[in-house]
Short mmCIF file of all heavy atoms in Angstrom, two decimals:
data_model
loop_
_atom_site.label_atom_id
_atom_site.label_comp_id
_atom_site.label_asym_id
_atom_site.label_seq_id
_atom_site.Cartn_x
_atom_site.Cartn_y
_atom_site.Cartn_z
N SER A 25 84.91 -49.71 -45.79
CA SER A 25 84.97 -49.36 -47.21
C SER A 25 84.93 -47.85 -47.41
O SER A 25 85.59 -47.30 -48.30
CB SER A 25 83.82 -50.02 -47.97
OG SER A 25 83.94 -51.43 -47.92
N THR A 26 84.17 -47.16 -46.57
CA THR A 26 84.10 -45.70 -46.64
C THR A 26 85.46 -45.09 -46.32
O THR A 26 85.93 -44.17 -47.01
CB THR A 26 83.05 -45.17 -45.66
OG1 THR A 26 81.78 -45.73 -45.98
CG2 THR A 26 82.97 -43.65 -45.72
N ALA A 27 86.11 -45.61 -45.29
CA ALA A 27 87.45 -45.13 -44.93
C ALA A 27 88.45 -45.43 -46.04
O ALA A 27 89.31 -44.59 -46.35
CB ALA A 27 87.90 -45.78 -43.62
N THR A 28 88.33 -46.59 -46.66
CA THR A 28 89.25 -46.96 -47.74
C THR A 28 89.13 -46.01 -48.92
O THR A 28 90.13 -45.57 -49.49
CB THR A 28 88.97 -48.40 -48.21
OG1 THR A 28 89.25 -49.30 -47.13
CG2 THR A 28 89.84 -48.77 -49.40
N ARG A 29 87.89 -45.69 -49.30
CA ARG A 29 87.70 -44.77 -50.42
C ARG A 29 88.32 -43.42 -50.13
O ARG A 29 88.91 -42.78 -51.02
CB ARG A 29 86.20 -44.62 -50.72
CG ARG A 29 85.58 -45.82 -51.40
CD ARG A 29 84.20 -45.50 -51.95
NE ARG A 29 83.25 -45.21 -50.89
CZ ARG A 29 82.49 -46.12 -50.27
NH1 ARG A 29 82.61 -47.40 -50.63
NH2 ARG A 29 81.64 -45.77 -49.33
N GLN A 30 88.23 -42.96 -48.90
CA GLN A 30 88.83 -41.68 -48.54
C GLN A 30 90.36 -41.77 -48.60
O GLN A 30 91.02 -40.84 -49.08
CB GLN A 30 88.39 -41.23 -47.16
CG GLN A 30 88.91 -39.82 -46.81
CD GLN A 30 88.40 -39.34 -45.47
OE1 GLN A 30 87.64 -40.03 -44.78
NE2 GLN A 30 88.81 -38.15 -45.07
N LEU A 31 90.92 -42.87 -48.14
CA LEU A 31 92.37 -43.05 -48.20
C LEU A 31 92.87 -42.99 -49.64
O LEU A 31 93.87 -42.34 -49.95
CB LEU A 31 92.76 -44.40 -47.57
CG LEU A 31 92.62 -44.50 -46.05
CD1 LEU A 31 92.81 -45.94 -45.60
CD2 LEU A 31 93.63 -43.59 -45.35
N ILE A 32 92.15 -43.68 -50.53
CA ILE A 32 92.53 -43.67 -51.94
C ILE A 32 92.43 -42.26 -52.50
O ILE A 32 93.30 -41.80 -53.26
CB ILE A 32 91.63 -44.64 -52.74
CG1 ILE A 32 91.92 -46.09 -52.30
CG2 ILE A 32 91.87 -44.49 -54.25
CD1 ILE A 32 90.96 -47.10 -52.88
N GLY A 33 91.37 -41.55 -52.11
CA GLY A 33 91.20 -40.17 -52.57
C GLY A 33 92.29 -39.24 -52.09
O GLY A 33 92.58 -38.23 -52.74
N LEU A 34 92.92 -39.60 -50.97
CA LEU A 34 94.02 -38.80 -50.43
C LEU A 34 95.37 -39.22 -50.99
O LEU A 34 96.41 -38.71 -50.57
CB LEU A 34 94.04 -38.92 -48.90
CG LEU A 34 92.85 -38.27 -48.17
CD1 LEU A 34 92.84 -38.67 -46.70
CD2 LEU A 34 92.91 -36.75 -48.31
N GLY A 35 95.35 -40.15 -51.92
CA GLY A 35 96.58 -40.56 -52.58
C GLY A 35 97.36 -41.65 -51.86
O GLY A 35 98.54 -41.87 -52.18
N ILE A 36 96.72 -42.36 -50.93
CA ILE A 36 97.39 -43.43 -50.20
C ILE A 36 97.25 -44.73 -50.98
O ILE A 36 96.13 -45.13 -51.32
CB ILE A 36 96.79 -43.61 -48.79
CG1 ILE A 36 96.81 -42.29 -48.01
CG2 ILE A 36 97.53 -44.71 -48.04
CD1 ILE A 36 98.19 -41.73 -47.79
N PRO A 37 98.35 -45.43 -51.30
CA PRO A 37 98.23 -46.72 -51.98
C PRO A 37 97.53 -47.73 -51.08
O PRO A 37 97.90 -47.90 -49.91
CB PRO A 37 99.69 -47.13 -52.22
CG PRO A 37 100.49 -45.88 -52.08
CD PRO A 37 99.75 -45.03 -51.09
N VAL A 38 96.50 -48.39 -51.60
CA VAL A 38 95.74 -49.38 -50.83
C VAL A 38 95.70 -50.70 -51.58
O VAL A 38 95.35 -50.73 -52.77
CB VAL A 38 94.30 -48.88 -50.57
CG1 VAL A 38 93.49 -49.97 -49.87
CG2 VAL A 38 94.30 -47.60 -49.75
N ILE A 39 96.06 -51.77 -50.91
CA ILE A 39 95.92 -53.11 -51.47
C ILE A 39 94.59 -53.67 -51.00
O ILE A 39 94.38 -53.88 -49.80
CB ILE A 39 97.07 -54.03 -51.02
CG1 ILE A 39 98.41 -53.47 -51.50
CG2 ILE A 39 96.87 -55.45 -51.56
CD1 ILE A 39 99.61 -54.26 -51.00
N ASP A 40 93.67 -53.87 -51.93
CA ASP A 40 92.32 -54.34 -51.63
C ASP A 40 92.32 -55.86 -51.64
O ASP A 40 92.31 -56.48 -52.70
CB ASP A 40 91.35 -53.78 -52.66
CG ASP A 40 89.90 -54.17 -52.39
OD1 ASP A 40 89.66 -55.07 -51.55
OD2 ASP A 40 89.01 -53.59 -53.03
N CYS A 41 92.30 -56.48 -50.47
CA CYS A 41 92.38 -57.93 -50.39
C CYS A 41 91.10 -58.63 -50.82
O CYS A 41 91.14 -59.81 -51.20
CB CYS A 41 92.79 -58.37 -48.99
SG CYS A 41 94.53 -58.01 -48.64
N ASP A 42 89.97 -57.93 -50.79
CA ASP A 42 88.75 -58.49 -51.37
C ASP A 42 88.93 -58.66 -52.88
O ASP A 42 88.55 -59.68 -53.46
CB ASP A 42 87.55 -57.58 -51.09
CG ASP A 42 86.90 -57.88 -49.76
OD1 ASP A 42 87.13 -58.98 -49.20
OD2 ASP A 42 86.15 -57.02 -49.25
N ARG A 43 89.53 -57.67 -53.51
CA ARG A 43 89.81 -57.74 -54.94
C ARG A 43 90.84 -58.82 -55.23
O ARG A 43 90.72 -59.57 -56.22
CB ARG A 43 90.29 -56.37 -55.44
CG ARG A 43 90.82 -56.35 -56.88
CD ARG A 43 89.85 -56.93 -57.89
NE ARG A 43 88.58 -56.23 -57.87
CZ ARG A 43 87.54 -56.61 -58.63
NH1 ARG A 43 87.63 -57.67 -59.41
NH2 ARG A 43 86.41 -55.93 -58.56
N VAL A 44 91.85 -58.91 -54.38
CA VAL A 44 92.87 -59.95 -54.55
C VAL A 44 92.22 -61.33 -54.47
O VAL A 44 92.49 -62.21 -55.30
CB VAL A 44 93.96 -59.82 -53.47
CG1 VAL A 44 94.88 -61.05 -53.48
CG2 VAL A 44 94.79 -58.56 -53.70
N ALA A 45 91.36 -61.53 -53.47
CA ALA A 45 90.68 -62.82 -53.31
C ALA A 45 89.80 -63.12 -54.51
O ALA A 45 89.74 -64.27 -54.98
CB ALA A 45 89.85 -62.81 -52.03
N HIS A 46 89.13 -62.11 -55.03
CA HIS A 46 88.27 -62.29 -56.21
C HIS A 46 89.10 -62.71 -57.41
O HIS A 46 88.76 -63.65 -58.13
CB HIS A 46 87.52 -60.99 -56.50
CG HIS A 46 86.54 -61.09 -57.64
ND1 HIS A 46 86.94 -61.03 -58.96
CD2 HIS A 46 85.19 -61.27 -57.64
CE1 HIS A 46 85.87 -61.15 -59.74
NE2 HIS A 46 84.80 -61.29 -58.97
N ASP A 47 90.21 -62.00 -57.64
CA ASP A 47 91.04 -62.28 -58.81
C ASP A 47 91.70 -63.65 -58.73
O ASP A 47 91.83 -64.36 -59.74
CB ASP A 47 92.11 -61.20 -58.97
CG ASP A 47 91.52 -59.85 -59.35
OD1 ASP A 47 90.34 -59.82 -59.77
OD2 ASP A 47 92.22 -58.83 -59.23
N THR A 48 92.14 -64.07 -57.53
CA THR A 48 92.81 -65.35 -57.40
C THR A 48 91.83 -66.52 -57.48
O THR A 48 92.25 -67.67 -57.59
CB THR A 48 93.59 -65.45 -56.07
OG1 THR A 48 92.70 -65.22 -54.97
CG2 THR A 48 94.73 -64.43 -56.03
N ALA A 49 90.51 -66.21 -57.42
CA ALA A 49 89.50 -67.26 -57.55
C ALA A 49 88.86 -67.29 -58.93
O ALA A 49 87.90 -68.03 -59.16
CB ALA A 49 88.41 -67.08 -56.49
N CYS A 50 89.39 -66.49 -59.86
CA CYS A 50 88.87 -66.51 -61.22
C CYS A 50 89.22 -67.82 -61.90
O CYS A 50 90.22 -68.47 -61.58
CB CYS A 50 89.43 -65.33 -62.01
SG CYS A 50 88.71 -63.74 -61.55
#
Side-chain angles (χ1 to χ4, degrees):
S25 296
T26 301
T28 296
R29 286 193 294 271
Q30 185 176 359
L31 289 170
I32 293 172
L34 292 169
I36 305 299
V38 176
I39 299 175
D40 183 346
C41 288
D42 273 342
R43 171 53 58 184
V44 170
H46 184 281
D47 292 345
T48 57
C50 287

